[in-house]
């Protein structure tokens, strides 16, 4: 009985009517005789019986089977594209709208199936937080976050990351993006440089740029790590030209976009290099807790290897619970925590998001957050990743397309590499307009022109093959018309 946000024909609403409306009449849900409120829509959900739900899914599978037959053709045409109702997101609360007609692999966000689980959990945790009866919950908060939040967070993180963080090393934030901006203003000055990987999380560059910091792409080795010798030469050149290099930004675990995991040895090399060069490592470890099993390499968190001032870890509830919480944390030395807490924005406005950190403290104390992570989020994303990998292997890793990729062991993303004849930046508008499929071109992430990032987080496991089939047809069309 899973939720689908598809625009479907239900009751008096026909498919044509529903698709013409830019905001559908609620999402699909199996109901037991009473209308329920959709947390993603201002409209009530129409009722649908279990039998009707199953029949709709059977119909969608038949559509997918027809697509499989079509996909065997080396010359698919746009008029062969069968329609399939897809998970969508169209709400007055969301930053992004997901069209039910377009399969968007670029959406690196949790899907409605997981959001509904988080919605229910947060509803209970917030009730518990307010039942404590302390009106000062609504007051300006402690700069680093309440003692209860920091204590519960440290215990939760240590258990699931096998770390040894102390509550005094925890600093409450509004998530990784807000933490990057805050650290960029406290630990660097406008005009300074931040070292980044190639490829890297593309929006981090925008955040650094918003506080006047330039990004310095590091030379890379074949194993996906930085060429530290070459980087040292680049840093020296920048400093000779009067531009200081202050920060080294990495996504070390289930990396966005590559899904790679750095080994303990590689992390230690970064730590030693940063100390020698006078850099602060900013480790974006937002996927640290999103494991699908035991990792293939030993990869402890950065601060378990080094608790010094020059190593800072960033994390968030956005990926393991819900991004709308705007709640996360920084792990740093006590000295760095004090320095950040003394920043002007916190001196004026107090701690970040004190109401939500109180809610999350209750979610952690009660075990609700642990249950969500272990019993819902990790297995859900693991199943989606497996489904997407199977579809990619089946439809893209062949002689016609010859795609290669690293199977993820956690996180949200897969990074695809194609032959040199395919330019994914050029392909994107064609794929979107003609074949109704989108993704993030590798160039956007400082990757090669023949690479692309795809996310498995938003859509259901059952929908993954549909997206890959659309991408396959778009690539074959490009090969015929552009690669000759």
């Amino acid at each position: 009985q899973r939720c689908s946000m598809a625009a479907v024909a239900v009751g008096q609403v026909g498919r044509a009517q529903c698709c013409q409306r830019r905001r559908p009449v609620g999402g699909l849900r199996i109901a037991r005789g009473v209308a329920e409120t959709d947390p993603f829509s201002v409209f009530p959900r129409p009722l649908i019986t279990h039998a009707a739900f199953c029949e709709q899914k059977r119909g969608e599978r038949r559509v997918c089977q027809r697509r499989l037959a079509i996909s065997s053709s080396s010359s698919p045409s746009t008029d062969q594209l069968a329609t399939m109702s897809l998970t969508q997101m169209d709400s007055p609360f969301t930053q992004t709208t997901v069209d039910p007609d377009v399969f968007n692999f670029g959406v690196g966000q949790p899907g409605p199936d997981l959001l509904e689980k988080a919605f229910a959990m947060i509803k209970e945790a917030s009730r518990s937080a307010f039942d404590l009866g302390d009106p000062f919950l609504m007051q300006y908060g402690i700069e680093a976050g309440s003692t209860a939040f920091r204590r519960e967070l440290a215990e939760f993180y240590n258990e699931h990351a096998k770390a040894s963080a102390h509550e005094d090393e925890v600093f409450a934030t509004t998530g990784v993006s807000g933490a990057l901006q805050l650290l960029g203003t406290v630990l660097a000055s406008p005009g300074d440089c931040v070292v980044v990987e190639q490829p890297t999380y593309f929006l981090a560059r925008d955040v650094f740029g918003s506080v006047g910091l330039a990004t310095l792409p590091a030379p890379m080795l074949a194993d996906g790590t930085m060429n530290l010798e070459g980087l040292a030469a680049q840093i020296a050149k920048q400093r000779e030209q009067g531009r200081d290099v202050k920060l080294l930004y990495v996504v070390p675990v289930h990396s966005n976009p590559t899904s790679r995991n750095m080994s303990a040895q590689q992390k230690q090399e970064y730590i030693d290099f940063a100390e020698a060069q006078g850099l602060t490592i900013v480790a974006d470890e937002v996927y640290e807790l999103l494991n699908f099993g035991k990792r293939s390499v030993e990869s402890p968190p950065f601060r378990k290897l080094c608790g010094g001032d020059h190593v800072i870890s960033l994390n968030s509830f956005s990926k393991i619970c819900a991004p709308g919480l705007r709640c996360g944390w920084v792990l740093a030395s006590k000295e760095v925590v004090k320095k950040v807490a003394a920043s002007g924005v916190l001196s004026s406005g107090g701690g970040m998001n004190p109401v939500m950190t109180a809610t999350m403290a209750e979610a952690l104390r009660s075990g609700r957050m642990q249950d969500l992570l272990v019993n819902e989020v990790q297995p859900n994303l693991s199943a989606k990743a497996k489904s997407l990998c199977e579809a990619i292997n089946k439809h893209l890793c062949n002689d016609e397309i010859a795609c290669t990729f690293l199977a993820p062991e956690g996180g949200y993303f897969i990074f695809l590499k194609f032959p040199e004849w395919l330019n994914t930046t050029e392909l994107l508008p064609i794929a979107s307009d003609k074949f109704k499929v989108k993704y993030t071109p590798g160039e956007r992430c400082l990757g090669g022109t023949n690479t692309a990032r795809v996310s498995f987080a938003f859509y259901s496991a059952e929908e993954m093959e549909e997206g890959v089939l659309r991408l396959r047809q778009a690539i074959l069309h490009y090969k015929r018309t552009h690669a000759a």
Side-chain angles (χ1 to χ4, degrees):
Q1 298 181 1
R2 71 175 181 83
C3 169
S4 167
M5 300 299 288
V8 297
V10 179
Q12 300 297 317
V13 183
R15 176 177 294 276
Q17 288 177 287
C18 193
C19 291
Q20 288 170 2
R21 295 174 63 124
R22 297 320 300 163
R23 189 178 306 284
V25 185
L28 174 65
R29 187 185 189 89
I30 300 173
R32 298 300 182 191
V34 292
E36 299 182 67
T37 302
D38 183 348
F40 316 108
S41 173
V42 296
F43 300 103
R45 298 181 182 187
L47 302 181
I48 183 169
T49 66
H50 179 69
F53 177 85
C54 293
E55 178 57 33
Q56 183 210 342
K57 291 294 119 183
R58 283 193 291 269
E60 290 183 2
R61 283 195 293 270
R62 288 193 292 269
V63 167
C64 213
Q65 288 168 357
R66 290 198 299 273
R67 291 295 306 276
L68 286 170
I70 291 171
S71 71
S72 62
S73 168
S74 61
S75 303
S77 61
T78 54
D79 60 1
Q80 288 176 311
L81 288 172
T83 59
M84 177 181 179
S85 56
L86 297 171
T87 300
Q88 70 181 79
M89 183 166 62
D90 188 5
S91 165
F93 297 109
T94 59
Q95 178 188 41
T96 303
T97 296
V98 179
D99 191 325
D101 298 323
V102 178
F103 199 112
N104 191 350
F105 281 119
V107 181
Q109 304 173 16
D113 48 358
L114 287 179
L115 290 180
E116 286 209 340
K117 300 291 186 180
F119 184 88
M121 188 275 285
I122 292 298
K123 185 176 180 180
E124 292 299 317
S126 61
R127 181 180 293 114
S128 297
F130 280 92
D131 282 348
L132 295 175
D134 188 346
F136 290 111
L137 168 65
M138 312 302 293
Q139 189 57 276
Y140 290 105
I142 301 171
E143 290 88 346
S146 70
T147 301
F149 173 76
R150 298 166 75 188
R151 179 182 63 250
E152 297 294 342
L153 191 283
E155 292 181 4
F156 168 76
Y157 181 80
N158 290 341
E159 177 184 354
H160 293 280
K162 294 180 173 56
S164 54
H166 189 272
E167 62 184 79
D168 291 342
E169 300 174 292
V170 177
F171 192 99
T173 70
T174 57
V176 169
S177 300
L180 287 175
Q181 186 176 50
L182 181 61
L183 293 173
T185 59
V186 173
L187 302 179
S189 302
D192 289 343
C193 282
V194 181
V195 176
V196 298
E197 303 164 290
Q198 297 189 81
T200 189
Y201 170 46
F202 64 94
L203 290 176
R205 299 169 63 208
D206 296 342
V207 176
F208 291 131
S210 71
V211 294
L213 304 182
T215 51
L216 177 64
M220 305 299 291
L221 300 174
D223 64 359
T225 60
M226 295 180 184
N227 181 336
L228 298 180
E229 183 178 348
L231 177 58
Q234 288 189 354
I235 291 173
K237 184 176 181 180
Q238 291 291 325
R239 288 171 173 168
E240 287 174 3
Q241 296 173 351
R243 174 178 285 177
D244 203 356
V245 183
K246 292 287 186 66
L247 307 176
L248 189 154
Y249 172 75
V250 293
V251 189
V253 176
H254 311 311
S255 175
N256 177 3
T258 65
S259 78
R260 291 181 182 274
N261 292 317
M262 290 178 62
S263 68
Q265 179 181 346
Q266 290 167 339
K267 290 180 179 181
Q268 189 61 56
E269 290 173 356
Y270 278 36
I271 291 169
D272 296 341
F273 177 83
E275 185 173 21
Q277 292 289 330
L279 306 176
T280 298
I281 292 177
V282 179
D284 185 345
E285 296 180 321
V286 70
Y287 305 104
E288 180 70 43
L289 306 183
L290 279 181
N291 302 299
F292 302 156
K294 186 177 180 180
R295 297 175 194 166
S296 59
V297 297
E298 181 187 0
S299 184
F302 257 100
R303 282 195 56 79
K304 187 172 183 179
L305 297 173
C306 177
D309 294 353
H310 68 295
V311 177
I312 299 176
S313 168
L314 279 57
N315 217 311
S316 173
F317 289 106
S318 294
K319 305 302 184 184
I320 63 174
C321 186
L325 301 176
R326 303 319 309 144
C327 186
W329 66 94
V330 162
L331 296 176
S333 69
K334 296 177 183 179
E335 290 71 21
V336 172
V337 168
K338 290 178 183 178
K339 186 174 183 179
V340 175
S343 67
V345 66
L346 295 173
S347 297
S348 173
M352 297 182 179
N353 208 348
V355 174
M356 188 49 63
T357 55
T359 298
M360 292 313 299
E362 281 299 302
L364 294 167
R365 183 197 61 79
S366 65
R368 294 186 182 100
M369 184 61 235
Q370 291 89 324
D371 289 343
L372 181 73
L373 174 64
V374 174
N375 298 323
E376 300 291 347
V377 177
Q378 289 174 339
N380 178 288
L381 291 174
S382 178
K384 291 179 177 183
K386 180 181 178 181
S387 179
L388 181 55
C389 287
E390 289 174 349
I392 293 171
N393 274 318
K394 184 176 181 180
H395 301 294
L396 301 183
C397 299
N398 48 41
D399 291 339
E400 285 183 302
I401 297 175
C403 171
T404 59
F405 69 99
L406 178 66
E409 297 178 334
Y412 268 42
F413 302 104
I414 296 175
F415 203 56
L416 306 178
K417 185 176 182 180
F418 300 99
E420 295 294 333
W421 53 259
L422 178 57
N423 185 311
T424 57
T425 302
E426 289 182 355
L427 173 64
L428 181 59
I430 300 169
S432 176
D433 295 343
K434 292 181 176 294
F435 299 93
K436 305 301 180 185
V437 62
K438 295 181 180 180
Y439 53 84
T440 303
E443 275 190 301
R444 183 78 171 92
C445 311
L446 294 181
T449 58
N450 62 328
T451 59
R453 189 196 77 170
V454 292
S455 172
F456 48 81
F458 184 77
Y459 294 94
S460 70
E462 294 80 7
E463 293 172 301
M464 294 300 170
E465 189 166 29
E466 170 70 15
V468 173
L469 284 169
R470 295 185 186 198
L471 182 57
R472 176 184 185 276
Q473 292 181 314
I475 293 171
L476 291 178
H477 172 81
Y478 179 94
K479 185 177 184 180
R480 295 196 319 272
T481 57
H482 290 70

